[in-house]
Amino acid sequence: MDVNVKEPVSPIGRIFSTSLLSVSVQAIFELERPMDVCSIKKAIRDIILARNPRFCSLMTEDEHGVLHWEKIDVNIDDHVFVPEFPPGQNDYDEFVNDYICNIHLTPLQKCRPLWEFHFLNYNTSSARATLIINMHHSLGDGISFMSLLFCFFTRADNPNLPLTFPSSKSLPRKTTSSWAFADFFYGILHGLFMLVFVMWYTVSDFVISMLRMRWIKDSKIPIRGPPGIEMLPKVMSSITFPMEEIRKIKNSVGGTINDVVMGVIFYGFQRYLKITLSHEDHKIPPNALKMANLRVTGLVSMNTRAVSGLKNMEEMLDSNSAAPWGNRFGLLQIPIPIANMESPLDFVRKAKQIIDRKKMSLEVFVTTRLLNLLGRQASAASIYTILTNTTLLISNMVGPMEKIAMNQTPVKSFYFSMSGLPQTLLLTVVSYVGSVRIQVTGTKGYVDSETLARCFSKSFEEMSEALTG
């Protein structure tokens, strides 16, 4: 992509770089060996800076208040950090966790390109070293960042082979040797019927989204905090599930991998709420103690590109790409069911029902277009209100099927997080080498991340047991 000296910042990029809403994305890689910082700095220069102009640009504002990307010369040492921790520790889990949480609370400096690499060559219980890549959301979205990062990594087993990613394939359609007018008639009728549903769902979802910007709020439960919660410390926990077991559950209910993950989140979150609301020190209104009366909404990030899946970075940077670089996503409002069900698998079925229903709505595209037409501050205020009026954000990414390496250093696991969100709970989901990891990022004092992760683990365990029960 040929980038002008001053290329306009995209509408969503402008929204995520306001005083009210400044969001960054952190990709955290847990490595099997310590890193050679010098060689990786060279790779950053040769692979990222040489191929992606966003990482060589400042966000500048002209006399009319319009934001542009202005290309500059980058001093890579301004973006690379190698902290030193006290020597002699058996493990550095606490130091590494505190360091990651501090990144959440430290805004990127706008006087230079909005990205950083942090190299932590210290033993933890899960890795020999940790790499943290911190990028401002105005540079791109999760799909964009994944395409860039996986130019930076290679397959651990054979660097010359390309990485592969899971893809969802539809079942083959049945065909007949004869054509009948009745088939054509019913096909047209079905299409018109579906069009009516799409229009109805789009209008109803759009109205709810507009009301969410002002009046509709989730129930006041201990997990929710006031505006400004984004500036409080975070606590992170994770849980990993085997892909093989997820596929068994998926096949048993006729759903997808995402349906199973959402079902686990639904069931685990309800379990966590029961634990939380049972505490005597929480001042909960009596009617809120009835779980069915609670309104809990999750915002789910949705890719709005014309084609799905990860693409090569050069392909995304092409001005004519069907999957262009940048921020091309919307937020689906998903109601979290708070109700007892006969079987744990019913939560997966409920997740499938809700997601299938949301797929028939164009509300995300309509709302995104409307926000693009509003001014920068007005759009940021609208999204900020939607975030504060809901309970949690869920973001799901697909990772490679093979183990990856950076400069021949194998990656044991990786996950991602976000900072600057006015919510107390963020759930990020990523697949990697036959497993799915849910990362729980909770605001300290509002969310017990370890307990919530255990609730997800117990929920998945019960779902697996229900298959043979």
Side-chain angles (χ1 to χ4, degrees), residues 192-211:
L192 291 173
F193 185 73
M194 295 300 293
L195 179 61
V196 170
F197 270 97
V198 168
M199 294 176 64
W200 169 248
Y201 289 150
T202 299
V203 171
S204 60
D205 287 349
F206 178 75
V207 170
I208 292 174
S209 180
M210 294 301 100
L211 292 175

Side-chain angles (χ1 to χ4, degrees), residues 289-439:
L289 292 175
K290 297 178 180 179
M291 298 286 287
N293 292 338
L294 296 178
R295 180 191 293 119
V296 180
T297 308
L299 297 176
V300 179
S301 179
M302 172 186 170
N303 177 25
T304 59
R305 292 172 175 83
V307 294
S308 61
L310 290 177
K311 303 298 177 184
N312 182 277
M313 184 175 68
E314 280 73 15
E315 181 182 348
M316 296 188 74
L317 290 171
D318 190 312
S319 58
N320 297 318
S321 175
W325 179 277
N327 283 287
R328 305 297 178 103
F329 73 97
L331 296 175
L332 285 176
Q333 297 187 25
I334 301 292
I336 307 295
I338 307 296
N340 293 324
M341 299 190 186
E342 293 184 4
S343 167
L345 295 177
D346 288 340
F347 284 92
V348 180
R349 297 185 181 98
K350 185 65 175 178
K352 173 177 170 54
Q353 176 188 343
I354 293 174
I355 294 171
D356 287 348
R357 149 71 177 83
K358 286 292 183 178
K359 287 178 180 177
M360 294 181 66
S361 171
L362 302 178
E363 180 269 328
V364 164
F365 300 93
V366 175
T367 304
T368 301
R369 180 61 61 90
L370 175 64
L371 290 172
N372 290 347
L373 295 176
L374 297 176
R376 178 187 175 197
Q377 293 295 337
S379 297
S382 298
I383 293 181
Y384 188 89
T385 302
I386 290 175
L387 288 165
T388 56
N389 286 350
T390 53
T391 302
L392 68 153
L393 178 67
I394 304 169
S395 184
N396 187 2
M397 293 296 300
V398 175
M401 299 173 67
E402 305 87 13
K403 179 172 282 193
I404 58 175
M406 179 186 57
N407 262 33
Q408 301 180 342
T409 302
V411 174
K412 183 177 180 180
S413 181
F414 75 95
Y415 59 96
F416 62 101
S417 185
M418 285 183 275
S419 57
L421 295 169
Q423 287 182 320
T424 58
L425 178 59
L426 168 68
L427 302 177
T428 56
V429 184
V430 65
S431 63
Y432 178 55
V433 195
S435 65
V436 172
R437 176 171 179 163
I438 299 179
Q439 188 72 25

Side-chain angles (χ1 to χ4, degrees), residues 214-215 261 425:
R214 294 298 178 191
W215 298 288
V261 172
L425 178 59

Side-chain angles (χ1 to χ4, degrees), residues 138-159:
S138 60
L139 295 173
D141 58 13
I143 297 289
S144 299
F145 291 150
M146 290 284 270
S147 73
L148 177 139
L149 293 174
F150 292 118
C151 288
F152 195 64
F153 292 86
T154 59
R155 282 179 57 157
D157 58 347
N158 188 338

